[in-house]
Amino acid sequence: MTTNLIEVKNLVKSFKDGNKETHVLKNIDFIAREGEWISIMGRSGAGKSTLMYQMSLLDDATSGEIFLFGRDTHNMTADEKTKLRLNELGYVFQDYALLPDLTALENVAVPLMMQGKYKKEAYAEAKLSLERVGLGHRISGLPSQLSGGEQQRTSIARALAHKPKVLFADEPTANLDNESSRTIMQLFKEVHEQGQTIIMVTHEEMYSRLAERIIQLDDGKIISDEKIKRVK
Amino acid sequence: MPQFIRLGFFLALRQVRRASPWTTSLIIFVMTLTFLNLVVVSGILVGLIEGAVEANKEFYTSDIIISTLEKKNYIEQSPSILNIIRSMPEVAAVSARYLGSGQIEASYKTAAKEEDIDSAGASLVGIDPIAEDNLTGVSRFVIDGEYLSPNDYDQILIGAYLLTEYFPVESASFPTLDNVSVGEKVRITIGDVKREMTVKGIVKSKVDEISYRIYFVDSQFRDLIGRNDYNVGEISIRLKNGANPNIIKEALLRAGVGEHARVQTFEDAQPKFLQDIKDTFALLGNMISSIGLVVASITIFIVIFINAITRRKFIGILKGVGISGRTIEVSYVFQSFFYALSGSSIGLLILYGFLEPFISAHPINFPFSDGILVAPVSGTVIKILILIFTTVIAGYIPARMIVRKNTLDSILGRN
């Protein structure tokens, strides 16, 4: 029996602009189970990224409940959420979100150091993670010296280095050329095959179908939740 | 060491190392100026008075000064006292001075009436020219003419403040003589004795006691004042390096000198108002420095704030990947600490490697003193600690402001 890693109940997210209130997410109910690869799709403004931000605790919901690994996140302090992100979640940003002052190795090592590992140990693990994404030869490059694909692979290495329970990826191929995109998706496939739970926002049909479950959002609501059947 | 401090240090180090060298240099330059402002302004103000105190000591009192008891015109048993002094191994030089007061007159040959004679009251001093010069180096203050020789007779050195040419102040309290220069004849009146003398030299110093006096060779001065007992009015003593004036003073008192004279170290002889002025100037200097400190704090606040604002996205990313706010704050604290420490270190080098020795060798020419820079190490260390503390606070506050913002807003650059 698979465990529920994420449970979203009646989730609402609204933004206020003066007197005008925009409801971006409207009463979303959603469950992500261990080992799943879920693609969240929808047109621009449908609320895909917003849903991901709430689930990954980068943002606070207006109302509703989010349970991560059975824990209610509603009353968690900012520090508790940060700690949860550090230890249990991995995040791949659309624009890579690497720290420009740090080399690829340091970017990957920083969260490991925050976990309490000493520099030497963190560097060794970060190097392994970079080798896993095929960047073993670029560890001392600064982000500005890496190509877009290399930066995104560094971002994936950082997200995976601490072995998160869930890997969130927000449009991971949006800024990449076709070849780099294929490489990234191949990486996702490999880590998923090793048991990694992935929740990925994408607007690219081709890549969304690599997942085993596709959730369609429109106007802040889930309009479909489809399981992909594969012939083995 | 707690994890947030280790990682904060790591992040700060990387950020400083890979920051623009120009920006880093500019911040450190501001910190250096602040440090110098903090130390030098008050140091110069205190040094202005300290210079006067030092000059008074070097050129007049020396380490110990022995003077007459109240209501006495001279120091009784002076020869014995001088023998005691000269027998002390810590004593490097001694000068005994005969003191008196009298009248100096010029134009007495040309004046039609007695009341037209140009005259001024003056302190008269009889010295052994060699001993006095050895002790105070008074000959270096001769600005015109020559210094006295032991065999000079009917020749005097006259203080510049007694001459209108050098001290053009019209005051009934301080009358001065017109048209008196080197080689001119003047008439000295001491009690009932009048004697015509030649001005051999003019002395001028920022120590008033030198510039207001008229110097004679002691042997002639004794004759003029009729003193055959060799009792002098003042004895200045310079000690060898390392000798403690207080200990020598105590030794002199134990030897009975106190029964015939007042024994004072240069600090005892220092007028109280000088110490009061010194304290006032130190307070003034600290007030001015405090303004500099506030300016520096605001500068660092702005610098760190702009730095944190421009790096807000990266602060958001750090939080996004699980780095605690405290770690990020600590990284900015370390950066501020680095700027303050670097600025202070460069400031220290400038201060003790250049400014202090330079000003000591070339004192600032103030009207009433040769100003030096007073920057004791203990005081400087305290000021460095104040600067670092203020800077660290000024760096911490903006970092905390940015770190407290919503993580996603920081990453996306939303307000």
Side-chain angles (χ1 to χ4, degrees):
Chain A
M1 190 182 154
T2 52
T3 316
N4 291 349
L5 294 187
I6 301 174
E7 221 175 322
V8 174
K9 291 180 183 174
N10 212 18
L11 183 70
V12 173
K13 179 68 183 177
S14 310
F15 292 100
K16 268 192 178 173
D17 186 8
N19 291 330
K20 194 184 166 196
E21 191 169 8
T22 310
H23 300 284
V24 180
L25 296 175
K26 299 167 184 170
N27 305 100
I28 299 278
D29 290 303
F30 168 83
I31 289 174
R33 294 175 192 88
E34 191 176 9
E36 277 189 319
W37 182 352
I38 302 168
S39 284
I40 301 174
M41 294 199 68
R43 59 184 174 78
S44 183
K48 313 182 289 290
S49 295
T50 307
L51 175 59
M52 182 167 277
Y53 296 147
Q54 314 309 308
M55 288 190 293
S56 60
L57 308 181
L58 287 175
D59 200 9
D60 299 319
T62 307
S63 67
E65 292 171 303
I66 299 171
F67 292 87
L68 287 184
F69 324 115
R71 292 173 63 191
D72 186 357
T73 62
H74 183 68
N75 293 320
M76 280 185 177
T77 63
D79 284 345
E80 284 172 333
K81 286 179 181 175
T82 304
K83 206 166 180 184
L84 196 64
R85 280 199 300 273
L86 175 71
N87 292 318
E88 312 291 358
L89 309 180
Y91 209 101
V92 178
F93 294 85
Q94 183 178 331
D95 61 353
Y96 330 129
L98 298 176
L99 299 159
D101 301 325
L102 306 184
T103 63
L105 185 71
E106 290 163 348
N107 262 289
V108 178
V110 160
L112 298 171
M113 290 165 77
M114 188 71 230
Q115 282 184 321
K117 293 184 170 82
Y118 279 94
K119 196 172 131 184
K120 200 174 166 187
E121 188 188 356
Y123 273 27
E125 285 186 27
K127 192 164 178 268
L128 277 177
S129 193
L130 282 163
E131 281 167 356
R132 190 178 174 195
V133 299
L135 278 182
H137 61 298
R138 300 289 278 144
I139 60 170
S140 49
L142 288 170
S144 58
Q145 297 162 337
L146 302 175
S147 69
E150 287 173 331
Q151 288 188 59
Q152 192 58 296
R153 279 191 279 161
T154 305
S155 174
I156 293 168
R158 179 178 63 190
L160 292 174
H162 59 289
K163 300 177 182 65
K165 285 184 178 163
V166 182
L167 174 67
F168 292 97
D170 184 10
E171 305 258 17
T173 57
N175 294 333
L176 301 178
D177 57 36
N178 285 340
E179 195 187 331
S180 299
S181 297
R182 273 196 297 276
T183 311
I184 297 299
M185 294 320 295
Q186 183 57 35
L187 259 171
F188 274 58
K189 196 163 173 254
E190 283 169 22
V191 296
H192 175 60
E193 281 166 4
Q194 289 159 18
Q196 179 68 56
T197 307
I198 301 174
I199 300 176
M200 177 179 79
V201 166
T202 183
H203 60 272
E204 292 175 81
E205 181 81 29
M206 181 175 68
Y207 296 136
S208 74
R209 302 206 74 78
L210 288 170
E212 54 208 15
R213 190 173 153 200
I214 299 176
I215 290 172
Q216 285 280 353
L217 277 184
D218 189 39
D219 194 25
K221 291 178 184 166
I222 294 177
I223 54 168
S224 75
D225 188 346
E226 174 195 1
K227 283 202 172 177
I228 309 286
K229 285 182 184 156
R230 289 207 177 80
V231 181
K232 295 203 175 175
Chain B
M1 189 191 293
Q3 188 54 33
F4 69 94
I5 292 181
R6 265 195 297 151
L7 186 55
F9 180 74
F10 174 87
L11 291 171
L13 197 68
R14 294 301 183 280
Q15 203 168 325
V16 167
R17 201 185 277 175
R18 291 176 185 138
S20 153
W22 289 107
T23 312
T24 307
S25 305
L26 185 67
I27 299 169
I28 292 173
F29 180 63
V30 169
M31 295 315 299
T32 304
L33 289 183
T34 307
F35 169 80
L36 290 176
N37 180 40
L38 209 58
V39 177
V40 174
V41 171
S42 57
I44 291 281
L45 282 173
V46 172
L48 193 134
I49 301 303
E50 193 66 35
V53 170
E54 280 294 312
N56 199 53
K57 176 193 168 192
E58 191 177 349
F59 308 130
Y60 174 56
T61 65
S62 214
D63 293 312
I64 293 176
I65 186 155
I66 299 176
S67 52
T68 57
L69 293 172
E70 266 185 60
K71 295 178 184 169
K72 291 278 183 184
N73 293 326
Y74 52 86
I75 300 166
E76 288 173 352
Q77 306 292 327
S78 291
S80 308
I81 291 172
L82 281 165
N83 282 339
I84 293 169
I85 293 166
R86 287 187 178 119
S87 69
M88 299 176 105
E90 295 89 349
V91 172
V94 185
S95 179
R97 303 173 188 127
Y98 294 88
L99 303 180
S101 58
Q103 196 81 7
I104 180 168
E105 295 168 328
S107 72
Y108 51 89
K109 286 181 181 168
T110 52
K113 291 181 284 183
E114 185 79 10
E115 51 265 39
D116 292 340
I117 295 173
D118 195 8
S119 69
S123 289
L124 312 177
V125 190
I127 55 167
D128 171 344
I130 293 172
E132 181 67 26
D133 196 35
N134 187 29
L135 185 89
T136 61
V138 68
S139 65
R140 89 185 81 159
F141 300 117
V142 176
I143 55 168
D144 196 9
E146 285 176 40
Y147 183 59
L148 293 173
S149 302
N151 298 323
D152 282 341
Y153 201 77
D154 283 346
Q155 299 201 72
I156 56 166
L157 277 184
I158 185 165
Y161 289 171
L162 295 167
L163 306 176
T164 314
E165 185 184 347
Y166 299 99
F167 193 59
V169 177
E170 284 197 23
S171 162
S173 313
F174 298 104
T176 52
L177 305 178
D178 300 329
N179 304 318
V180 173
S181 55
V182 172
E184 296 277 334
K185 299 279 186 194
V186 290
R187 193 164 63 192
I188 303 288
T189 306
I190 308 172
D192 298 333
V193 181
K194 280 184 190 285
R195 193 162 186 97
E196 187 174 70
M197 294 193 150
T198 307
V199 176
K200 188 178 183 188
I202 295 165
V203 283
K204 187 182 180 192
S205 160
K206 286 172 184 171
V207 178
D208 288 355
E209 275 75 8
I210 294 175
S211 299
Y212 276 121
R213 285 180 162 185
I214 297 173
Y215 291 88
F216 301 75
V217 173
D218 52 2
S219 52
Q220 184 177 18
F221 192 71
R222 273 198 305 270
D223 291 343
L224 288 172
I225 61 175
R227 168 125 327 120
N228 301 315
D229 54 10
Y230 291 86
N231 282 334
V232 297
E234 192 174 86
I235 303 168
S236 286
I237 307 166
R238 192 176 70 232
L239 303 177
K240 288 177 181 163
N241 281 343
N244 185 334
N246 284 308
I247 291 173
I248 305 301
K249 174 187 160 185
E250 290 305 317
L252 288 168
L253 291 174
R254 276 198 305 276
V257 176
E259 290 169 25
H260 308 291
R262 189 160 62 150
V263 183
Q264 291 174 295
T265 65
F266 68 93
E267 279 173 331
D268 300 338
Q270 188 179 303
K272 189 182 175 297
F273 77 89
L274 265 183
Q275 189 55 47
D276 291 345
I277 294 176
K278 217 157 92 175
D279 293 344
T280 308
F281 274 38
L283 184 71
L284 202 64
N286 286 335
M287 283 167 67
I288 296 168
S289 300
S290 303
I291 295 168
L293 196 64
V294 171
V295 172
S297 307
I298 293 169
T299 308
I300 282 295
F301 181 92
I302 292 169
V303 165
I304 296 286
F305 188 72
I306 291 171
N307 188 12
I309 282 278
T310 52
R311 300 181 63 82
R312 189 180 155 205
K313 178 184 170 71
F314 305 119
I315 289 174
I317 292 167
L318 279 168
K319 286 168 67 188
V321 298
I323 310 304
S324 70
R326 200 158 50 152
T327 304
I328 300 165
E329 287 161 10
V330 164
S331 82
Y332 278 90
V333 164
F334 272 122
Q335 285 178 62
S336 306
F337 181 77
F338 164 78
Y339 294 135
L341 198 65
S342 303
S344 301
S345 303
I346 295 171
L348 272 178
L349 277 178
I350 295 172
L351 178 66
Y352 291 118
F354 171 69
L355 277 178
E356 202 197 29
F358 181 81
I359 295 177
S360 184
H362 307 91
I364 303 167
N365 188 12
F366 291 114
F368 56 91
S369 80
D370 287 330
I372 53 171
L373 175 60
V374 177
V377 175
S378 56
T380 306
V381 168
I382 289 171
K383 283 173 180 171
I384 289 175
L385 293 177
I386 292 171
L387 183 66
I388 289 175
F389 177 75
T390 314
T391 309
V392 162
I393 296 294
Y396 171 74
I397 293 170
R400 186 178 167 82
M401 284 163 64
I402 304 297
V403 166
R404 296 289 136 185
K405 287 195 181 287
N406 177 285
T407 304
L408 187 66
D409 289 345
S410 296
I411 294 173
L412 300 179
R414 292 193 307 220
N415 288 323

